Amino acid sequence: MSTPRIEAALALATSAAHQGPHSTPPDGRPRRHHFAIGDPQADITRFLAVLDRHGLLGADGLLIPDVQLISVGDHFDWGRSTERDTVATSALRLIAWMAAHPADQAVLLLGNHDLGRVGELAGFTDARFATAQVEADGIYQGGDVDEARERDFLARHPELPNVELVARDFGTFREEQRRWVDYLLRARRFRVAHAAAERMIVLHAGVTREDLHAVGLSESLHSHASTVAEILNQALDSAVAAWTRGPLHIPGLYRPGDATYGEGRGIFYHRPSLSPEDTLHRDATPRRRFDPRRLPLGLTQVVGHTRDKRCRELLVLPHDTPHDGVLRYLVTNGTTIDYRPGTPRASHPGEAVLLFTDGGMRESPLEAFQMLDLDTRGPARPLQGAAPGEAP
């Protein structure tokens, strides 16, 4: 069942989307409560229901004034092929709802699906994408790809790395989404990273020591969250300022895919892996896999991007029943790793931590989906004095 707060938020989201791309400037107001929410690849009503269950929505449909919310990125693309139009509209409403808040209250971080609108899909119109998608669907066939037909497709669409990107991965693209992403990048509303504490940073998929070396950061500063966030955001801003046409690149950090280069790589795509078959893919930056033992020691990174099942596969751990909905963490001293559900104890300066927030919002039972309380560094609990909503 919905609640009046959710309905007010949905109305606000619709109105904000209809206004076209815009961003509310920061208001500088101190906020007592700070939360991070994992990949919002779910219907906006479900996203808002998660917030309402934790008492974060006000009667006006906005976040309550004392709350700061950080979205870890990937606001587009989910669902079945029959849901594409609905999903495309829902995602746009979610971005618009976030942008209607002051920039220092609702923090928008970039994921690979967000960047895909100005990366691999930078040159597509709605009409051209729709035509390409019809063909890609017939070639992809649910993963049973006709390789000969795919080669012919890519010869005519060299800006794409494969048919899967159009048929599935970025399958709910619309030009209006790109307009919003472009605007929010140039307005510096979309960010790479957010420093949540002295040694805690929030970003989509994490960074390694090699990634920070690639942007010129001395290893002595790798555990300073504000410095790390600043240099990553400066790299984005410099790339956007120099970008006039074609796909956006962020030197050393992000390279969109194409038919020659293959799939996109970099800090918005990569995942921790100890799989022997990924050894060669972990060596050079940007990449799609990284060795978690190369995480910056002394720094806790709050990330999304990778669910429990995929983490276990890549870390070569027993394939237990996946833990959807819950927070998880990986801790390493640079030699050994420990991965498990929950949140970690206070970390040691000689340890690096990844705290995973992607709980599969769309598939997880609503009551099981956990947000991260950045103040307690544990699962968020409903705010005292707030009236948690019921599941829709």
Side-chain angles (χ1 to χ4, degrees), residues 96-123:
W97 183 82
M98 291 285 289
H101 291 78
D104 52 356
Q105 182 181 27
V107 178
L108 281 165
L109 298 182
L110 283 163
N112 55 301
H113 287 262
D114 308 311
L115 280 168
R117 272 64 194 161
V118 293
E120 292 89 343
L121 303 179

Side-chain angles (χ1 to χ4, degrees), residues 201-284:
I201 193 169
V202 189
L203 69 170
H204 185 61
V207 287
T208 64
R209 283 173 262 179
E210 289 76 18
D211 298 315
L212 296 180
H213 290 150
V215 290
L217 187 63
S218 165
E219 194 149 334
S220 64
L221 297 174
H222 283 193
S223 64
H224 295 205
S226 60
T227 304
V228 173
E230 181 179 13
I231 199 164
L232 293 175
N233 289 329
Q234 284 177 351
L236 171 67
D237 294 337
S238 295
V240 170
W243 172 50
T244 57
R245 58 180 296 179
L248 173 68
H249 296 238
I250 309 174
L253 299 180
Y254 166 72
R255 167 71 157 84
D258 60 42
T260 301
Y261 184 74
E263 293 181 296
R265 303 175 198 172
I267 66 168
F268 305 94
Y269 279 106
H270 66 191
R271 292 184 166 97
S273 174
L274 295 176
S275 173
E277 66 187 44
D278 285 333
T279 301
L280 294 178
H281 303 295
R282 294 194 297 258
D283 289 344

Side-chain angles (χ1 to χ4, degrees), residues 36-59:
I37 189 165
D39 302 32
Q41 289 178 306
D43 186 82
I44 185 175
T45 304
R46 191 169 185 82
F47 174 87
L48 294 171
V50 172
L51 302 185
D52 200 41
R53 286 180 61 84
H54 289 83
L56 307 190
L57 289 182

Side-chain angles (χ1 to χ4, degrees), residues 16-131:
H18 285 162
Q19 290 178 43
H22 64 279
S23 176
T24 302
D27 63 9
R29 174 174 180 159
R31 293 184 165 86
R32 295 172 52 207
H33 308 288
H34 308 85
F35 301 96
I37 189 165
D39 302 32
Q41 289 178 306
D43 186 82
I44 185 175
T45 304
R46 191 169 185 82
F47 174 87
L48 294 171
V50 172
L51 302 185
D52 200 41
R53 286 180 61 84
H54 289 83
L56 307 190
L57 289 182
D60 58 0
L62 292 166
L63 293 167
I64 61 176
D66 266 353
V67 163
Q68 181 189 60
L69 180 70
I70 302 166
S71 170
V72 303
D74 276 359
H75 301 86
F76 303 101
D77 303 316
W78 68 90
R80 297 181 295 272
S81 59
T82 55
E83 301 174 294
R84 284 169 176 161
D85 287 339
T86 299
V87 169
T89 300
S90 173
L92 199 62
R93 293 169 74 199
L94 173 57
I95 287 284
W97 183 82
M98 291 285 289
H101 291 78
D104 52 356
Q105 182 181 27
V107 178
L108 281 165
L109 298 182
L110 283 163
N112 55 301
H113 287 262
D114 308 311
L115 280 168
R117 272 64 194 161
V118 293
E120 292 89 343
L121 303 179
F124 278 86
T125 63
D126 283 342
R128 182 169 174 246
F129 184 80
T131 300

